[in-house]
Amino acid sequence: MNPKNIRNFSIIAHIDHGKSTIADSLLKYTNTLSDRESKEQFLDNMDIERERGITIKAQTVRLTYKADDGETYQINLIDTPGHVDFNYEVSRSLAACEGAILVVDAAQGVEAQTLANVYLALDHNLEIICVLNKIDLPAADVEGVKQQIEDGIGLDTSNAIEASAKENIGIKEILESIVKNFPPPQVVENLPLRGLIFDSWFDPYQGVVILIRLVDGEVKRGDKIKFMDSGQGHDVLKLGAFTPFAEEQECLHVGEVGYLVCGLKDIRDVRVGDTVTSWQKSATEPLAGFKKVKPMVFSGIFPIDAGDYEALKEALGKLSLNDSSLTWEVESSAALGFGVRCGFLGLLHMEIIQERLEREFRLNLITTAPSVVYRVITNKGEELEIDNPSALPDPTLIESFKEPYVRLMLHTPSEFIGGLLKLCEDRRGVQIKMEYVSDKKVIIEYKLPLNEMVMDFYDKLKSISKGYASMEYEMMDYEDADLVKLDMLINSEPVDALSIVVHRSKAQHRGRQLTKKLKEVIHRQQFKIAIQASIGSNVLARETLGALRKDVTAKCYGGDITRKRKLLEKQKEGKKRMKQIGSVEVPQEAFLAILKVDD
């Protein structure tokens, strides 16, 4: 294919604005899929994606389109996620493109993630086409949304395409606009092979499958290639493109998007964002990779069955192959044994990873409460970065605490402003600004501690706004805070996996909530169980779970009272001994209780 007839583009949008449906319509219109093969959300091939109606993994597909100018074009589509937690997937996809289609719901208008994804595309200097989707809905306000895009984003909407993916309105116009407005790949002759790895995954039969965008040169089956980051060389066993099913080819040319299989069994040999070059004639400079994102939320993951520990490590290795933002390291807990501490981009990311581990690798897991990275200044002047509350030094050794703050942007209909302002104020937020973008839509900006956002902020936001509000956040700096470590003790024994860091003003209230919640979820034993919340040696709250009582006097039908008293004393002694040697098993619900306590 002549590089002048190649177009590489991504579809970007806020979650649930019809991005996957537009991708389906493009596949059907170009006859890439037959009616028999087609199904809704075709590119969302994971069960979790279909159940939740969201895109988690970027997918690529090659379309062949004969345009009105008589030329046949190769169009490489990379479908991207919409949720804020999968921002890194979008940045990887955009690094492999020349253009982006911005999809905006004509009924809902510009949302938080719409802005975030547009700014990402502009950072990559991409050409952007606006598409107003769902114009067939009764609530659609095409002119109002165009005005929002011009005022809020600054994009010209005079050539915006009005479409309805479900009704197949505007699909041809989208394809024609891609051909006319997106630039072809830049080609410089006689340069050595350079290809950007923008995704990869592990296949049990073929090994690591690498998705690649060729920027310079070409690669053939049988060529020896080199990964510039590791310097390792491998032979190309298979290559091809997804059309949308894997189709083997002999060669991939400059500007094309395809896949490589080198028979790699060690997932550590491939790093997403690395550059592939030729072994014989190597490039000197690697390509600029995608935006590297640091995890912001940390949580411990432990197998319920200790024998699954190695399987958990292997599963995380395979998941981190195509999810470069997932970080993990081994940790051990006195209460839960050996496990791993994982870093995530947000709560949805954490939830999805846990669900994938349980479904795809059939593991039974316990997940501890999420925490963020704190900076602790000790009495000796040392600065420590702590992502696990149980790793905090003794309170007497801590000089000061610093916690990370985020700039939070909320897009909401105006009738929910009161509830959302109260939510942010309750979470120690400081309002930066509030702006009306239209009569019915408001953008609220807050400075908020990340610690307050990682628990259940998103759930509360959706509940208060009946699902209409959306949020976007970006990291700010660390600031001093009066924080304390709240320990949960069960029978005077601290359970390290239940420790959390809270603001001192909220510690007592939080401690009471947690002790009450734990009393509900911990199973009763043959002896009394004391559940306490404490800061150091200072106990803030206590609940007592009563013992299961066996009626030892049931067999006494008469006789002297001393006979009954003797049996009761004997039972009391037994319970005392049992309490000294008995252990309390903490169920999975106890760890979830920390996440679900009400304000």
Side-chain angles (χ1 to χ4, degrees), residues 482-587:
D482 187 11
L483 301 174
V484 289
K485 177 188 171 192
L486 187 67
D487 284 315
M488 301 308 298
L489 287 76
I490 296 178
N491 268 357
S492 304
E493 288 291 323
V495 181
D496 52 358
L498 290 175
S499 299
I500 56 171
V501 174
V502 293
H503 195 266
R504 192 181 295 274
S505 64
K506 292 187 170 189
Q508 189 160 20
H509 177 60
R510 191 84 175 169
R512 283 179 183 158
Q513 287 179 317
L514 286 173
T515 50
K516 280 181 185 172
K517 198 77 178 177
L518 290 176
K519 184 181 178 183
E520 292 170 16
V521 296
I522 289 175
H523 305 306
R524 290 172 71 191
Q525 306 290 329
Q526 295 284 350
F527 49 89
K528 282 183 183 177
I529 300 172
I531 302 166
Q532 296 167 304
S534 73
I535 299 173
S537 58
N538 180 20
V539 176
L540 302 180
R542 171 181 170 134
E543 292 285 337
T544 304
L545 187 63
L548 284 170
R549 183 173 175 273
K550 182 182 176 185
D551 189 0
V552 290
T553 60
K555 60 186 177 183
C556 297
Y557 291 102
D560 191 57
I561 186 67
T562 54
R563 191 173 166 212
K564 287 185 180 180
R565 198 170 287 145
K566 181 181 171 187
L567 290 170
L568 291 169
E569 288 298 324
K570 191 176 176 185
Q571 184 187 41
K572 193 192 288 183
E573 286 299 316
K575 284 190 182 293
K576 197 183 289 182
R577 278 201 311 276
M578 200 182 285
K579 188 174 182 178
Q580 289 169 354
I581 60 167
S583 63
V584 181
E585 188 177 306
V586 182

Side-chain angles (χ1 to χ4, degrees), residues 9 101 111 190 200 213 231 314 356 358 370 380 453 462 471 501 555 579:
F9 78 100
I101 289 179
E111 301 274 10
N190 302 319
S200 61
R213 154 72 200 273
E314 190 180 329
R356 287 186 71 184
E358 289 178 343
K380 296 178 181 176
M453 207 184 76
K462 287 295 180 188
M471 64 178 252
V501 174
K555 60 186 177 183
K579 188 174 182 178

Side-chain angles (χ1 to χ4, degrees), residues 64-282:
T64 303
Y65 174 62
K66 188 166 184 181
D68 288 349
D69 61 8
E71 294 277 338
T72 300
Y73 291 87
Q74 180 193 113
I75 301 175
N76 294 304
L77 155 65
I78 301 169
D79 186 29
T80 61
H83 193 276
V84 61
D85 279 10
F86 301 106
N87 191 277
Y88 66 96
E89 286 279 347
V90 181
S91 91
R92 278 164 28 182
S93 304
L94 296 179
C97 296
E98 280 81 34
I101 289 179
L102 171 67
V103 178
V104 181
D105 188 322
Q108 294 183 43
V110 174
E111 301 274 10
Q113 200 60 24
T114 313
L115 288 170
N117 286 330
V118 168
Y119 294 148
L120 264 182
L122 292 173
D123 286 346
H124 286 82
N125 298 315
L126 302 189
E127 193 69 37
I128 297 174
I129 296 170
C130 285
V131 174
L132 302 182
N133 193 27
K134 307 186 186 180
I135 59 165
D136 56 315
L137 293 180
D141 176 15
V142 175
E143 293 308 315
V145 172
K146 280 185 181 179
Q147 195 62 46
Q148 278 185 37
I149 293 171
E150 292 193 351
D151 295 345
I153 305 175
L155 291 177
D156 180 21
T157 57
S158 56
N159 296 321
I161 298 167
E162 296 175 19
S164 168
K166 285 209 168 168
E167 300 297 325
N168 284 320
I169 300 168
I171 303 304
K172 179 178 171 59
E173 288 80 357
I174 292 173
L175 287 163
E176 284 296 322
S177 190
I178 289 167
V179 167
K180 287 175 189 167
N181 297 319
F182 288 163
Q186 290 184 342
V187 177
V188 182
E189 298 293 334
N190 302 319
L191 285 181
L193 166 69
R194 285 199 307 169
L196 177 69
I197 299 174
F198 66 91
D199 206 353
S200 61
W201 63 87
F202 189 82
D203 184 285
Y205 302 107
Q206 303 182 96
V208 179
V209 180
I210 301 164
L211 275 186
I212 187 171
R213 154 72 200 273
L214 290 196
V215 177
D216 297 314
E218 62 180 28
V219 59
K220 298 185 181 72
R221 187 188 299 176
D223 285 357
K224 189 168 186 182
I225 59 168
K226 180 169 84 171
F227 299 120
M228 292 188 77
D229 183 54
S230 64
Q232 292 190 343
H234 300 278
D235 293 325
V236 178
L237 305 179
K238 280 185 189 176
L239 54 80
F242 289 98
T243 63
F245 305 104
E247 186 180 290
E248 284 192 49
Q249 296 176 350
E250 287 299 318
C251 183
L252 283 177
H253 300 280
V254 63
E256 293 188 329
V257 174
Y259 69 87
L260 298 178
V261 175
C262 302
L264 291 167
K265 296 297 179 188
D266 190 346
I267 53 182
R268 289 166 294 192
D269 288 345
V270 180
R271 188 180 69 83
V272 174
D274 196 5
T275 301
V276 168
T277 188
S278 171
W279 182 261
Q280 286 84 9
K281 189 184 175 185
S282 299

Side-chain angles (χ1 to χ4, degrees), residues 316-335:
L316 280 167
K318 289 178 181 176
L319 280 187
S320 57
L321 174 66
N322 66 357
D323 187 344
S324 57
S325 65
L326 172 65
T327 61
W328 58 280
E329 59 184 30
V330 172
E331 81 162 349
S332 63
S333 158

Side-chain angles (χ1 to χ4, degrees), residues 372-389:
V372 301
V373 179
Y374 299 99
R375 288 182 184 159
V376 175
I377 314 296
T378 65
N379 294 340
K380 296 178 181 176
E382 297 172 314
E383 184 171 293
L384 308 174
E385 289 208 339
I386 306 287
D387 62 35
N388 187 349

